[in-house]
Amino acid sequence: MIRVEHLSKSFGVRAALDDVSFTVAPGEFVILVGPNGAGKTTLLRILATLSRPTSGTVCIAGLDPLQQGIPARQQIGFLSHRTLLYEDLTAEQNLAFYARVYGVPDAEARIANLLARVDLTSRRHDWVQTYSRGMQQRLAIARALLHYPRLLLLDEPYAGLDPIAAGALTSLLTGLVDDGCTLVLTTHNLEMAGAVGKRAIVLNHGRVVHDAPLPDERGFPALYCERSGK
């Protein structure tokens, strides 16, 4: 689903990513972790086709985003730090708006299905500004899934969530993987990373310093500290 080869990204004299290479198979759930400034968000933005690399190549579902931008983006759902939801619209209205933007066929049925999946059917007519942080995150994931993407990229989706909301999000993401969706997720919550992911890529100073299946969740924080020099 993802192939990254010798990827580098510089901002002036600062290298955010330095010779990064890895692959992600269809249906994998990969956790991307690292200290602040390690390059995680930069990498996700490049994978989401929102930023161009300085050098190296990226392939999404067999497509080169630089040459085949539209079909590549059709494969991708992206959740950034911002939910990109309109707070003065209801959940249903938000999804209807994005369905028109994406040109989603049979949008009404798709919206109803996603609202049920993120457990927001009973709140579908409520303004988003009345939602908790966890509810907004779930609705933002529904937005990212509207166009049936095969790859979901999530940048710190657990940020600001209480344990109950985090558990609901974990159940949702696990269900997506069970359905064959490929997930790449960044997080600073090492315990959560060890609990939900199947593989961890650790970035430090823009380079991959660890890429392997996750150990048990209690052992991952220690492994992370060793690999990242913390």
Side-chain angles (χ1 to χ4, degrees):
M1 181 58 66
I2 300 173
R3 185 174 74 249
V4 174
E5 295 181 343
H6 305 293
L7 186 70
S8 295
K9 176 68 176 180
S10 297
F11 297 96
V13 298
R14 184 178 71 85
L17 296 171
D18 183 9
D19 197 29
V20 170
S21 297
F22 63 90
T23 61
V24 177
E28 273 200 277
F29 191 165
V30 177
I31 304 297
L32 184 63
V33 294
N36 288 330
K40 303 183 300 297
T41 294
T42 299
L43 177 55
L44 277 197
R45 286 182 58 81
I46 291 174
L47 294 177
T49 76
L50 297 175
S51 179
R52 287 176 172 249
T54 302
S55 62
T57 60
V58 173
C59 187
I60 303 293
L63 302 169
D64 179 355
L66 296 181
Q67 303 296 326
Q68 301 161 290
I70 292 177
R73 283 189 287 274
Q74 289 173 340
Q75 308 298 319
I76 301 166
F78 181 52
L79 178 66
S80 68
H81 294 284
R82 298 173 57 203
T83 62
L84 301 181
L85 298 171
Y86 294 94
E87 293 194 345
D88 56 348
L89 296 179
T90 68
E92 196 169 67
Q93 289 169 340
N94 265 280
L95 295 185
F97 168 77
Y98 281 107
R100 289 195 296 272
V101 171
Y102 293 141
V104 176
D106 198 11
E108 187 174 337
R110 179 62 172 166
I111 290 169
N113 176 272
L114 286 173
L115 286 172
R117 183 151 201 177
V118 299
D119 195 24
L120 289 175
T121 299
S122 64
R123 298 289 302 272
R124 66 188 183 278
H125 298 309
D126 294 348
W127 289 350
V128 170
Q129 63 188 356
T130 68
Y131 280 18
S132 67
R133 171 65 177 168
M135 292 169 65
Q136 289 191 14
Q137 283 289 73
R138 299 204 309 272
L139 182 58
I141 290 174
R143 171 193 59 74
L145 292 171
L146 264 173
H147 57 297
Y148 302 91
R150 297 165 60 194
L151 170 64
L152 187 60
L153 307 171
L154 305 107
D155 197 1
E156 293 287 349
Y158 287 97
L161 299 189
D162 61 44
I164 294 176
L169 179 58
T170 296
S171 296
L172 173 61
L173 298 181
T174 301
L176 292 174
V177 173
D178 290 342
D179 287 348
C181 190
T182 305
L183 269 66
V184 178
L185 177 155
T186 74
T187 183
H188 284 292
N189 187 326
L190 300 181
E191 289 77 14
M192 187 62 66
V196 301
K198 302 300 182 183
R199 170 184 167 199
I201 296 176
V202 181
L203 286 178
N204 197 14
H205 298 296
R207 298 182 67 90
V208 174
V209 296
H210 175 82
D211 181 359
L214 277 160
D216 65 276
E217 62 184 271
R218 289 178 295 179
F220 181 63
L223 183 147
Y224 168 81
C225 291
E226 176 188 339
R227 294 292 188 268
S228 63
K230 292 294 183 180

